[in-house]
Amino acid sequence: MQLTRTDIYVDGRWLRPDGTGRIPVENPATEETIAEIPAGTVTDVDRAVAAARAAFDGWADTTATDRAAALERLHDALAARADTLVETIGLELGSPRKFATRVQVGLPLRVLRGYVDLARQPAPAETIGNSLVLREPVGVVGAITPWNYPLHQVIAKLAPALAAGCTVVLKPSELTPLVAYQLFDAIDEAGLPPGVVNLVTGTGPVVGEALAGHPDVDMVSFTGSTAVGRRISHLAADRIARVALELGGKSANIILDDADLAAAVKAGIGNCLINSGQTCTAWSRMLVHRSRYAQALELAVDITAGYQLGDPFAPATRLGPLVSATQRERVRGHITRGLADGGRLVTGGPDAPVPDRGHFVAPTVIADVDPDSALAQEEIFGPVLAVIPFDDTEQAVAIANNSRYGLAGAVFAGDEERALAVARRIRTGSVDVNGGSFNPLAPFGGYKQSGIGRELGVHGLAEFTQLKSIQR
Ligand code: NAD
């Protein structure tokens, strides 16, 4: 498989980038450099935005059915590459194969398929009194994405943007850019009109800032950290461009006294550890009623022991490495600080055995965590669970809402009505009750500092449109 790439994709063609800079791509499980990609420049962004701008009127004028057909061709071209995509995400991110197949690649294919269906059935124009209310595409979209779900985060922007009639310039994460190249191979094969989708790889401070601050970009759709989201907002504010921000989280899993404890702890650990804890919605705080607390910790030890760490391509592996050495050191630092702040190590820890090579951190459970401490407040983005006891439901809700984030959460209770009543009080964009499964058609996004706007499904499509009223 050819991993090193030298070009960017602009106006329907692979092009030499403006500069000669290169960015190495590492395999986080082996610490070897496996490829290089271009470090794009401001000139590359200018060229890509100009192509997207030139393509906009034509693409916006196509029918929704034509756009559905183009998205379907893209879906099929991508699905035909599924094995390569799984392997690539295994190499550049260290995702275990089963997880990469089911989630990293399976989920975006489902999302893309969902947008083919939505584009085929456009909502009829609304009439309000003497007004005809139209939804029109926002324009040129700058999409900036992170490394943790490198295909899904891109598709969650690209598919609705294209379905709405927008054109796009993508800057993927420089840590996991290889799968984006394969996506653009599929885009090329699917024969989308030139300029409708463009790819410029590079760093955040150069390519990301140039895109977010570009006068001809009408909307910036960003997924990543809250700190960078804030910066993007500032850059877009100068020209009053629209922003959609999908940012960090610190989600709480509330386990009430009458919950099925084994199921709740198993689901809670699983959710916290998926993708080695590098998931924005990870339930990284487990809040357990004091009457079940000791038993929950015993279960947590047993369940965590089942998460085998190691080579992402070995069939038994359930947890891969963290994405980079920097990330590993950050996570280990958080664990050390959490213990210094009074947390009690239940399993794992900064010195627990891990493979010699690769950016591994052992799955770690820390009990008696102070809800105000850094471990309970900061997004750690690693396989680290903070467990906190509570005495009554009021206190559980208060602890869950004691966060500057508001992305996701969970409630487990014996009685579903009781769980739903608590779910309504959690200030987050989504809550799963008694293990309710992820729904890729439901709106996804955050309250508070977890973001602005929603992705996925019909609400994600609406983000890329603006309303026009015509009075008759
Ligand atoms: P990051 O914010 O460091 O980077 C995200 C993207 O922004 C990358 O492409 C990066 O190159 C770019 N970037 C960096 N600095 C920039 C700048 N100054 N201007 C413009 N672009 C810039 O985030 P990350 O480390 O790649 O991803 C992890 C973060 O993403 C976590 O905080 C996680 O919670 C968040 N995330 C959120 C969601 C969600 O849907 N809410 C989903 C996945 C990840």
Side-chain angles (χ1 to χ4, degrees), residues 144-149 152-153 157 171-175 202-212 222-229 231-232 235 245-249 278-281 323 327 379 381 405 407 444-446 450-451 455:
I144 302 176
T145 53
W147 44 263
N148 59 337
Y149 289 85
H152 171 68
Q153 310 293 0
K157 299 183 186 314
K171 190 212 94 63
S173 169
E174 58 275 42
L175 293 177
T203 66
V206 177
V207 174
E209 297 229 355
L211 195 54
F222 171 77
T223 300
S225 61
T226 296
V228 175
R231 173 76 186 135
I232 302 259
L235 288 166
L245 304 174
E246 297 289 342
L247 309 177
Q278 304 168 119
T279 300
C280 51
T281 51
V323 73
Q327 190 69 9
E379 183 182 51
F381 236 53
Y405 295 114
L407 190 56
F444 178 92
S450 288
E455 290 196 326

Side-chain angles (χ1 to χ4, degrees), residues 51-423:
R53 173 57 60 201
F56 174 67
D57 287 342
W59 183 246
D61 267 355
T62 55
T63 62
T65 319
D66 286 344
R67 296 196 291 274
L71 285 176
E72 187 163 42
R73 293 198 302 278
L74 175 58
H75 172 275
D76 295 348
L78 209 53
R81 290 170 166 75
D83 290 346
T84 312
L85 299 169
V86 166
E87 182 156 356
T88 303
I89 296 177
L91 288 170
E92 66 181 347
L93 180 62
S95 279
R97 189 182 286 275
K98 199 165 145 201
F99 177 72
T101 306
R102 195 168 48 84
V103 180
Q104 294 281 13
V105 175
L107 176 61
L109 283 172
R110 278 172 69 197
V111 169
L112 189 48
R113 163 60 56 196
Y115 279 111
V116 172
D117 296 341
L118 278 175
R120 283 225 171 94
Q121 305 151 6
E126 197 183 349
T127 301
I128 302 177
N130 66 322
S131 300
L132 183 65
V133 181
L134 306 179
R135 278 200 178 271
E136 298 190 337
V138 172
V140 173
V141 174
I144 302 176
T145 53
W147 44 263
N148 59 337
Y149 289 85
L151 184 60
H152 171 68
Q153 310 293 0
V154 174
I155 293 293
K157 299 183 186 314
L158 208 69
L162 296 181
C166 295
T167 56
V168 179
V169 177
L170 170 70
K171 190 212 94 63
S173 169
E174 58 275 42
L175 293 177
T176 55
L178 304 180
V179 78
Y181 274 98
Q182 288 162 1
L183 167 65
F184 273 75
D185 287 339
I187 285 170
D188 197 50
E189 189 180 305
L192 269 70
V196 167
V197 209
N198 307 274
L199 169 72
V200 182
T201 50
T203 66
V206 177
V207 174
E209 297 229 355
L211 195 54
H214 201 291
D216 240 358
V217 169
D218 300 299
M219 170 174 174
V220 187
S221 179
F222 171 77
T223 300
S225 61
T226 296
V228 175
R230 198 170 287 124
R231 173 76 186 135
I232 302 259
S233 279
H234 286 146
L235 288 166
D238 277 345
R239 61 184 193 288
I240 323 289
R242 187 184 291 199
V243 288
L245 304 174
E246 297 289 342
L247 309 177
K250 190 72 196 179
S251 299
N253 171 17
I254 301 178
I255 304 179
L256 297 180
D257 51 356
D258 61 347
D260 175 343
L261 193 67
V265 174
K266 182 167 181 255
I269 300 265
N271 183 290
C272 178
L273 296 184
I274 57 164
N275 209 28
S276 300
Q278 304 168 119
T279 300
C280 51
T281 51
W283 304 341
S284 51
R285 296 181 293 158
M286 184 183 279
L287 280 42
V288 189
H289 190 268
R290 206 176 290 278
S291 65
R292 318 290 300 277
Y293 188 67
Q295 200 190 345
L297 292 177
E298 278 171 28
L299 283 164
V301 173
D302 288 350
I303 294 164
T304 307
Y307 279 80
Q308 184 157 333
L309 206 65
D311 174 6
F313 292 97
T317 297
R318 288 180 76 189
L319 273 190
L322 299 187
V323 73
S324 65
T326 311
Q327 190 69 9
R328 179 191 57 200
E329 289 322 305
R330 263 195 67 238
V331 171
R332 292 180 65 193
H334 273 297
I335 298 173
T336 305
R337 175 157 178 209
L339 298 176
D341 284 347
R344 170 164 59 96
L345 187 62
V346 175
T347 186
D351 304 319
V354 290
D356 293 342
R357 265 193 336 164
H359 308 308
F360 291 92
V361 171
T364 297
V365 177
I366 302 179
D368 307 347
V369 174
D370 176 346
D372 291 322
S373 68
L375 197 71
Q377 292 291 327
E378 301 290 323
E379 183 182 51
I380 294 173
F381 236 53
V384 183
L385 178 68
V387 192
I388 303 170
F390 65 84
D391 293 304
D392 57 41
T393 308
E394 280 307 306
Q395 193 189 14
V397 170
I399 296 172
N401 286 335
N402 172 18
S403 173
R404 66 177 181 280
Y405 295 114
L407 190 56
V411 184
F412 285 86
D415 171 23
E416 188 171 294
E417 283 307 313
R418 195 176 170 219
L420 281 171
V422 173

